[in-house]
């Protein structure tokens, strides 16, 4: 009941101080629009960065072996290197591959279940590695079986031949055979570029394409092959806690084993991830700083205006205290006044939030704002404004009736 009795005096007081009231409302509305959209963008980018690629990111590194002499034998070097790496203490497994997630390089092909020209074409990134690839990447086989050593072909760089059997990701199987029938892909025949038949031998739970911004990043196909080239990429998976020392020791062993090549581009998967997502990480960091600074500035603005208004109304406060208003009622009065201003600012803020989001979607092709963020933005602004006005309101309720009435 006391809350409703306070509404009349609050409205009259605000009407007498329109400028400061409007300033608070506009500040809250602008802050809400920026914070709400900023939080949505930050969370979207965070989820984008934290997507799991399907491989053991924490314990895996890669390197490139590049031959530079005329006598360099790519195939013999690959076979020798893999024996040496796999026999190294602390190495779980290793594989030579054309590409890997986060490498930002590779090939993709279009798959379909028939050779019909009207059949749906499903794009899928192509990986080539032998039967050790599943263990090296840390992939989970959810249907079918892995390659055998007999399945693996040696191919030249320009060779367009495909092995007869392939593995595909669950996302690829789902796109080809439907959400409820993806398991049936095992044993079925696929066609690459409408003409080359391939039999699906197994399905892995998840394996991302090499390109993080590719719209079909979950769709991949794996063929059992080793490609001979003067530059060979090796992916090496280590036991937990052994990554850093094995990156150094394996590099040194390979360099010593064959002096007709150089070992370069030695990086962990986590390092590659940090580099490829550097722009996203910077965006998230900047947005978080902007959100925190803007929230602080808004809180200081609300507190400052509240203090200014209280100083101008000390006599009014003293009179209310002399008429019997308790300290708690004075505190309640100014908290309610601030809540009313915040409510008006929130209504205006909702409109500005959607206007800003429409601009960002149109200009920068961002994702439309999920409605969930609107009440989150409102709650954040209410919390900030109420927290900011506590100190001035506590100072107001400490005004003595005697001090306030001396000027009467």
């Amino acid at each position: 009941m006391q809350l409703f009795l306070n509404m009349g005096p609050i409205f009259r007081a605000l009407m007498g101080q329109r400028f400061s009231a409007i300033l608070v409302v506009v500040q809250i509305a602008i802050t809400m629009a920026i914070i709400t959209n900023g939080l949505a963008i930050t969370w979207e980018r965070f989820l984008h960065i934290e997507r799991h690629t399907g491989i053991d990111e924490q314990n895996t590194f890669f390197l490139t072996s590049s031959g530079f002499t005329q006598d360099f034998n790519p195939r013999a070097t690959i076979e020798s290197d893999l024996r040496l790496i796999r026999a190294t203490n602390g190495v779980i497994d290793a594989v030579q591959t054309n590409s890997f997630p986060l490498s930002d390089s590779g090939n993709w092909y279009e798959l379909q279940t028939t050779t019909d020209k009207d059949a749906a074409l499903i794009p899928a990134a192509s990986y080539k590695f032998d039967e050790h690839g599943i263990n090296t990447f840390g992939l989970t086989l959810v249907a079918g079986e892995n390659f055998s050593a007999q399945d693996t072909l040696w191919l030249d760089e320009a060779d367009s031949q495909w092995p007869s059997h392939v593995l595909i990701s669950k996302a690829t199987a789902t796109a080809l055979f439907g959400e409820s029938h993806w398991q049936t892909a095992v044993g079925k025949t696929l066609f690459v570029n409408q003409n080359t038949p391939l039999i699906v031998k197994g399905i892995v739970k998840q394996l991302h394409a090499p390109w993080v911004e590719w719209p079909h990043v979950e769709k991949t196909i794996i063929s059992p092959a080793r490609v001979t080239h003067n530059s060979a990429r090796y992916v090496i998976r280590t036991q937990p806690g052994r990554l850093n020392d094995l990156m150094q020791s394996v590099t040194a062993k390979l360099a010593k084993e064959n002096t007709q090549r150089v070992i370069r581009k030695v990086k962990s998967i986590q390092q590659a991830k940090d580099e490829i997502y550097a722009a996203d990480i910077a965006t998230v960091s900047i947005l978080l700083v902007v959100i925190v600074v803007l929230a602080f500035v808004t809180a200081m603005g609300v507190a400052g205006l509240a203090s200014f208004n209280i100083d101008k109304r000390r006599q009014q406060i003293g009179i209310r205290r002399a008429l019997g208003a308790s300290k708690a009622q004075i505190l309640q009065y100014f908290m309610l006044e601030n809540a009313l201003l915040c409510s008006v600012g929130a209504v205006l803020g909702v409109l500005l939030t959607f206007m800003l989001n429409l601009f960002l979607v149109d200009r920068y092709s961002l994702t439309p704002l999920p409605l969930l963020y609107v009440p989150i933005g409102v709650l954040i602004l209410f919390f900030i404004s109420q927290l900011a006005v506590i100190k001035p309101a506590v100072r107001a309720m400490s005004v003595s009736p005697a001090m306030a009435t001396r000027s009467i």
Side-chain angles (χ1 to χ4, degrees):
M1 186 65 179
Q2 184 65 36
L3 291 177
F4 292 104
L5 292 176
N6 281 332
M7 298 298 280
I10 288 175
F11 277 117
R12 286 192 294 272
L14 291 177
M15 290 303 292
Q17 297 172 338
R18 294 185 186 88
F19 178 77
S20 60
I22 292 172
L23 198 59
V24 171
V25 168
V26 171
Q27 186 178 22
I28 289 174
I30 294 174
T31 301
M32 178 180 168
I34 297 174
I35 286 182
T36 303
N37 281 281
L39 285 174
I41 295 171
T42 300
W43 185 245
E44 181 186 22
R45 289 292 88 190
F46 176 78
L47 293 179
H48 184 67
I49 294 169
E50 291 301 311
R51 290 183 307 177
H52 196 265
T53 58
I55 69 176
D56 184 1
E57 299 175 8
Q58 301 301 319
N59 302 299
T60 304
F61 71 97
F62 61 92
L63 56 83
T64 300
S65 164
S66 299
F68 57 84
T69 67
Q70 291 184 345
D71 298 331
F72 182 75
N73 187 325
R75 177 168 177 170
T77 301
I78 291 171
E79 291 177 327
S80 173
D81 287 346
L82 288 176
R83 284 195 300 270
L84 185 151
I85 297 170
R86 290 167 181 168
T88 301
N89 181 39
V91 171
I92 294 177
D93 215 335
V95 72
Q96 183 254 341
T97 178
N98 67 316
S99 188
F100 51 87
L102 303 170
S103 66
D104 205 31
S105 65
N107 302 308
W108 63 274
Y109 298 92
E110 291 181 330
L111 310 178
Q112 55 191 130
T113 55
T114 70
T115 55
D116 189 345
K117 292 183 179 180
D118 296 327
L121 298 174
I122 305 301
S126 173
Y127 288 113
K128 295 180 174 66
F129 50 69
D130 61 25
E131 71 277 7
H132 291 265
I134 294 290
N135 192 36
T136 301
F137 280 50
L139 304 179
T140 302
L141 201 64
V142 292
E145 59 184 11
N146 189 16
F147 302 130
S148 65
Q150 290 72 33
D151 292 326
T152 304
L153 297 181
W154 283 94
L155 302 175
D156 293 328
E157 186 181 12
D159 201 333
S160 60
Q161 180 183 359
W162 282 80
S164 59
H165 291 81
V166 294
L167 302 178
I168 59 176
S169 66
K170 181 180 176 181
T172 306
T174 300
L176 289 166
F177 296 95
E179 182 68 36
S180 58
H181 300 287
W182 61 267
Q183 298 99 325
T184 64
V186 177
K188 298 286 183 65
T189 299
L190 306 179
F191 295 89
V192 177
N193 297 336
Q194 298 183 333
N195 52 29
T196 304
L198 305 170
I199 299 174
V200 178
K201 190 168 187 177
I203 301 172
V204 296
K205 183 179 180 179
Q206 184 184 35
L207 176 61
H208 275 193
W211 320 281
V212 296
E213 300 297 339
W214 197 45
H216 310 284
V217 68
E218 295 277 355
K219 300 182 182 71
T220 50
I221 181 172
I222 308 165
S223 53
R226 293 175 180 167
V227 180
T228 57
H229 188 269
N230 276 11
S231 287
R233 282 177 167 177
Y234 299 117
V235 174
I236 300 130
R237 184 182 178 197
T238 71
Q239 294 174 353
R242 298 293 309 277
L243 179 68
N244 292 329
D245 68 284
L246 284 171
M247 286 176 66
Q248 297 179 8
S249 61
V250 168
T251 301
K253 283 183 178 181
L254 291 176
K256 184 179 179 180
E257 180 74 11
N258 189 334
T259 58
Q260 294 183 323
R261 50 88 181 279
V262 292
I263 304 300
R264 56 194 184 90
K265 296 182 179 179
V266 183
K267 292 180 183 179
S268 68
I269 292 294
Q270 189 59 52
Q271 286 175 315
K273 188 172 188 177
D274 290 342
E275 289 178 5
I276 207 164
Y277 283 119
D280 290 305
I281 293 171
T283 299
V284 169
S285 301
I286 292 171
L287 281 174
L288 286 175
V289 170
V290 169
I291 288 170
V292 171
V293 170
L294 187 58
F296 178 77
V297 170
T298 300
M300 291 300 98
V302 170
L305 287 170
S307 295
F308 175 74
N309 290 334
I310 288 170
D311 287 339
K312 289 183 65 176
R313 290 148 66 182
R314 289 176 65 85
Q315 185 177 359
Q316 176 190 342
I317 298 169
I319 293 172
R320 292 199 64 190
R321 289 295 313 280
L323 293 175
S326 66
K327 290 184 176 183
Q329 288 173 331
I330 297 297
L331 177 66
Q332 183 184 76
Y333 176 93
F334 284 101
M335 296 294 287
L336 179 59
E337 180 179 280
N338 181 262
L340 289 173
L341 289 174
C342 190
S343 298
V344 177
V347 172
L348 180 59
V350 170
L351 296 176
L352 291 180
T353 296
F354 284 112
M355 289 174 63
L356 177 59
N357 184 249
L358 288 174
F359 170 78
L360 294 173
V361 170
D362 180 64
R363 181 62 64 89
Y364 301 105
S365 301
L366 298 183
T367 305
L369 181 72
L371 293 178
L372 174 64
Y373 285 94
V374 176
I376 291 176
V378 172
L379 290 174
I380 289 174
L381 263 298
F382 261 99
F383 176 77
I384 292 173
S385 63
Q386 290 290 287
L387 189 65
V389 84
I390 288 176
K391 185 176 180 180
V394 169
R395 188 160 57 86
M397 76 179 189
S398 65
V399 173
S400 168
M403 290 179 63
T405 57
R406 283 175 187 172
S407 59
I408 294 178

